[in-house]
Amino acid sequence: MNIVVIYPGRFQPFHKGHHAVYNYLVGKFGRSNVWVATSNKTDQVKSPFNFAEKSYFMQLTGVPSNAIIEVDQPYKIETVVATGRIN
């Protein structure tokens, strides 16, 4: 059985709590089964970081770059799967 775990969010910014959830998911389901999905949408007040910046923050905490997926709608599973990045 293949397990796919998608952790979607705005991650403005990706912080210790997000990192703890990511580590929990990796511990439970395995690093190769967990992907983080977020968008490139920005807003000066609520969402100041673009995808590249969020991805950089995630990678600083140990999330592999190939596990970070950019999508327009990270909370819609079909948009994440449609990227073709999930094996």
Side-chain angles (χ1 to χ4, degrees):
M1 168 172 63
N2 289 339
I3 295 174
V4 173
V5 178
I6 301 168
Y7 181 24
R10 287 182 37 244
F11 306 114
Q12 294 285 341
F14 191 80
H15 56 66
K16 291 190 303 185
H18 295 128
H19 185 246
V21 171
Y22 174 79
N23 282 340
Y24 171 80
L25 294 172
V26 166
K28 184 165 182 149
F29 300 105
R31 186 173 296 275
S32 64
N33 296 319
V34 179
W35 287 267
V36 179
T38 192
S39 73
N40 193 39
K41 182 181 176 188
T42 59
D43 172 287
Q44 288 182 344
V45 177
K46 292 173 65 177
S47 301
F49 301 109
N50 64 31
F51 176 79
E53 293 165 325
K54 293 186 285 186
S55 178
Y56 175 74
F57 297 148
M58 291 175 197
Q59 290 175 63
L60 284 177
T61 70
V63 178
S65 62
N66 65 343
I68 305 166
I69 301 174
E70 180 183 350
V71 290
D72 291 335
Q73 299 175 337
Y75 298 102
K76 291 192 173 183
I77 291 173
E78 50 284 351
T79 63
V80 178
V81 173
T83 65
R85 298 265 317 273
I86 296 174
N87 19 342

